[in-house]
Amino acid sequence: MSSLYKNIHQDLIELCGKNDPKAQFKIYKLYYKAMYNSSLRIVKDVAEAEDIMQESFLAAFRNIKKYKGEVSFGAWLKRIVVNRSLDSLKKKKLELFPIDNELYKLSEEEDNHNIEYSEEQIAILKKGIDLLPTGYRIILNLYLIEGYDHEEIGSILNITSSTSRSQFLRAKKKLIQIISEKENQKML
């Protein structure tokens, strides 16, 4: 397997391509926590995230010959996990974007806030994210936590990059609203 992207564990990946169970187990041990967390942030169910993570590894090992090395193995595997997680939500018929099709024109300026957060503030953010509507939560997670850009998110969710950007900005506004309401409740 020749690779455009040289992975740290390239030798293990090549052995996985030969169905080597020890190499597969080592790859699993290296990536399972990150993949589980990626799924959990999307599906919000511990058992379901575990199942998705397991199924994703099986699919990756079955299809490892399709891995061309154009991105890191971890990024390739994460894409499988994210897609399976989103498929799980679709099977439950959760509407990812309950907002009508009219796009609000939100300026890019609203997206330029770089702030350092304390652990307490991060915990508040996580709770707020959990309260977001599913579509907002997914885009916020894919962009901020998983590191996908809006083009990639659009491709994953089968939406335009401008819709992804718009939903992301709406999600941020909604998150700010949720956190403000929680803070105001504490003050009462």
Side-chain angles (χ1 to χ4, degrees):
M1 174 187 305
S2 69
S3 174
L4 303 173
Y5 185 94
K6 191 64 178 166
N7 288 287
I8 298 170
H9 308 292
Q10 189 65 38
D11 55 335
L12 288 175
I13 294 166
E14 288 174 9
L15 287 171
C16 286
K18 297 174 184 172
N19 293 319
D20 181 310
K22 287 181 183 176
Q24 290 174 339
F25 184 69
K26 286 180 183 176
I27 288 288
Y28 174 83
K29 295 279 282 183
L30 288 167
Y31 290 97
Y32 81 94
K33 284 183 185 174
M35 298 306 127
Y36 168 77
N37 287 328
S38 291
S39 181
L40 184 60
R41 283 189 289 269
I42 294 171
V43 299
K44 305 310 284 174
D45 181 275
V46 171
E48 186 176 1
E50 179 74 28
D51 288 345
I52 289 168
M53 190 249 328
Q54 298 287 344
E55 291 167 7
S56 297
F57 272 99
L58 291 173
F61 292 144
R62 260 192 319 272
N63 296 300
I64 201 156
K65 292 190 185 337
K66 293 180 183 176
Y67 172 64
K68 303 292 184 215
E70 294 165 350
V71 296
S72 72
F73 180 78
W76 181 75
L77 182 59
K78 185 188 286 186
R79 178 61 72 100
I80 294 170
V81 170
V82 166
N83 285 338
R84 286 184 173 259
S85 298
L86 293 171
D87 287 346
S88 175
L89 290 180
K90 288 175 191 170
K91 284 179 188 168
K92 292 179 181 176
K93 304 229 186 291
L94 288 178
E95 189 174 346
L96 296 183
F97 304 103
I99 296 173
D100 61 30
N101 288 335
E102 181 184 329
L103 291 178
Y104 293 32
K105 298 296 179 196
L106 300 172
S107 73
E108 289 289 330
E109 297 167 10
E110 299 177 47
D111 197 20
N112 294 332
H113 303 287
N114 293 329
I115 302 169
E116 300 266 334
Y117 295 103
S118 70
E119 285 186 36
E120 181 182 347
Q121 289 170 316
I122 290 171
I124 292 168
L125 280 172
K126 286 180 179 179
K127 287 178 186 171
I129 289 170
D130 286 345
L131 296 174
L132 287 172
T134 304
Y136 286 174
R137 182 175 45 77
I138 289 170
I139 287 185
L140 205 69
N141 278 314
L142 290 176
Y143 186 80
L144 293 177
I145 298 170
E146 305 301 338
Y148 290 112
D149 63 30
H150 291 294
E151 288 286 325
E152 293 170 315
I153 294 169
S155 172
I156 291 168
L157 297 176
N158 200 24
I159 59 176
T160 65
S161 61
S162 62
T163 299
S164 173
R165 194 172 287 108
S166 173
Q167 293 288 320
F168 173 72
L169 293 173
R170 290 179 190 170
K172 280 180 31 179
K173 283 186 173 191
K174 182 69 175 172
L175 181 58
I176 290 167
Q177 175 189 350
I178 289 169
I179 290 171
S180 293
E181 288 170 1
K182 293 289 180 195
E183 289 299 314
N184 288 338
Q185 288 174 357
K186 282 184 184 177
M187 297 173 119
L188 297 178

